Amino acid sequence: MKIAVAKGDGIGPEIMDAVLKIFEANKVPLEYELVEMGKWVFDKGFSNGMTPEAQHTIENLGILFKGPMETPKGKGVKSVNVTARKTWNTYANKRVFQTLHGVDTVFSKAGIPIDITVVRENIEDTYGGIEHMLTHDVALSRRFITRPGSLQVIKYAFEMAKKKGTRRITCGHKANIMKITDGLFLECFYEVAKEYPDLKADDVIVDDLCMKLVTRPDAFDVVVLTNLQGDIVSDLCAGLVGGLGFAPSANIGDHICIFEAVHGTAPDIAGKNIANPTALLLSGIAMLRHLGLMENAAIIENSLLYTLEQGTRTGDFGDKNKTALNTTQFSEAIIGNFGKKPEQGVKELLPNMPVTQTVFKLEKNPMMISKEMENEKIVGVDMFIESAEQPDVIAKKCQRHAGVKFNLINISNRGTQVWPTGSIYTNLVNQYNVRFESLDGSALNQQDVLGLYVSLSGDFKICSSELLNMWGDKRAYSLAQGQ
């Protein structure tokens, strides 16, 4: 099988060469096609951090094994790592955090074993990166959570948990505050849970989850979260097992998968041959299993675990009284230990079952849409306006524009109601949300809303607007604090 390889920036080429050397020594039956991705590709003028040839190769081969990559700062370009994940719809970011004997942590010293798999939604949330300045003082970031996207990653998490033989799967969320967005994700979680009655499915508010993870990490098995929360929680879990140097990552999609270390490029030690290749090697081992190369994966992982148990180390971890090896020496130690097994955590030697690569030739973008269960109607609109006036002054102006179809319901500032009731102690910024609803609760159309928009724009700069929708009797918009 042939896979695409991008060595990355900073320490990327050194650790990638070390891992590929280990693969070669174990006679892993893979061919590698190098592709151009990373900061140096940005510098050549490619705004997405990859050449068209690289994109074509990856889409043809379906597997990308990549080193850490840097995105230039202050140039207005998007992260190449996030761009790759989103472009190829690798919707599930799987990160496995396990106790590694020889990597001392607070928990390993206390005899508390850790085996946590974090599954992070990889496409949506604030990682959409859709942001606007509404006024010179107010920035807006749009947070998209979709039903089809949530179902994709949650179904993957449950199926993976089932195959792993886990005892518990947990949804981390903030649905107590973000009732519609996180509420939709949590709703999808329990919808999927019904299909897996043998798995214990529960949910924890994400801040409580973080506290529980650092006090009783052994209580958790599989945790599934939205994108930003998953990013934060997965780094927290990395800290539980020794840091990002021991955190592998797999980005799983239906057509293309990306395997990478999640740590940075470490430019301060680049070129010194002292970087720790363990995270990238663990990511590579996960890739081998994904490709059905079970025996190769087990031999290499057993050797790595044995090497760590012996106290062999690079300079970033381990017993400082023992001499640190450089990157090359560390990889050679792993190769020298092929066939040896650790005392704890031995990986079973299953036979190789290579998958048949399928190249998908899509003719159009896949459209994901769920069935609309109830009729939709527009019942109002939120108009986000710029103003430095007091709420009662704004209310009087807005009421003049309401006409015969709309009623001014409330005015809020940064999500807190300031009219018709509120507090003089609520600090204000120069951007308000004025909410209009239909006079009698009847359905409106977009022409009604556009007429209100035109009328209101005579008095205010309208920064943005959102329709107030209902599906059946279910309100599809949030209330202001205090409304």
Side-chain angles (χ1 to χ4, degrees), residues 154-286:
I154 291 168
K155 284 180 178 178
Y156 169 81
F158 270 89
E159 193 61 27
M160 184 272 300
K162 178 183 176 183
K163 290 177 180 177
K164 182 186 175 187
T166 188
R167 66 184 189 275
R168 179 186 185 190
I169 181 168
T170 303
C171 179
H173 65 89
K174 197 66 178 172
N176 58 322
I177 302 297
M178 294 177 286
K179 298 181 184 298
I180 293 180
T181 49
D182 270 35
L184 176 59
F185 191 80
L186 185 59
E187 178 185 317
C188 290
F189 175 81
Y190 281 114
E191 181 181 323
V192 175
K194 293 175 183 177
E195 302 172 19
Y196 296 84
D198 294 335
L199 283 176
K200 179 187 176 184
D202 58 15
D203 68 276
V204 182
I205 295 171
V206 68
D207 42 324
D208 186 30
L209 172 65
C210 290
M211 186 272 290
K212 286 182 166 70
L213 281 168
V214 298
T215 54
R216 284 298 307 275
D218 53 322
F220 293 92
D221 285 333
V222 175
V223 184
V224 60
L225 307 102
T226 57
N227 203 327
L228 179 59
Q229 294 169 11
D231 192 16
I232 295 167
V233 168
S234 59
D235 273 25
L236 181 152
C237 290
L240 304 179
V241 297
L244 290 175
F246 304 95
S249 175
N251 301 279
I252 306 297
D254 290 335
H255 304 129
I256 297 169
C257 296
I258 305 168
F259 296 84
E260 61 182 344
V262 299
H263 58 67
T265 58
D268 54 321
I269 61 170
K272 297 181 180 179
N273 194 33
I274 59 174
N276 181 358
T278 301
L280 187 61
L281 179 57
L282 287 169
S283 302
I285 291 168

Side-chain angles (χ1 to χ4, degrees), residues 84-92 123 152 252-254 256 368:
R85 296 168 195 160
K86 291 169 66 65
T87 298
W88 296 312
N89 203 56
T90 60
Y91 50 80
I123 307 297
Q152 267 192 329
I252 306 297
D254 290 335
I256 297 169
M368 304 189 304

Side-chain angles (χ1 to χ4, degrees), residues 377-392:
K377 66 177 180 179
I378 301 170
V379 296
V381 62
D382 281 343
M383 297 287 190
F384 297 85
I385 64 169
E386 179 176 352
S387 178
E389 296 174 309
Q390 288 293 302
D392 57 339

Side-chain angles (χ1 to χ4, degrees), residues 286-303:
M287 179 183 69
L288 297 184
R289 289 199 172 94
H290 179 81
L291 295 173
L293 302 176
M294 303 299 186
E295 184 177 359
N296 295 102
I299 291 171
I300 295 171
E301 187 167 8
N302 281 331
S303 177

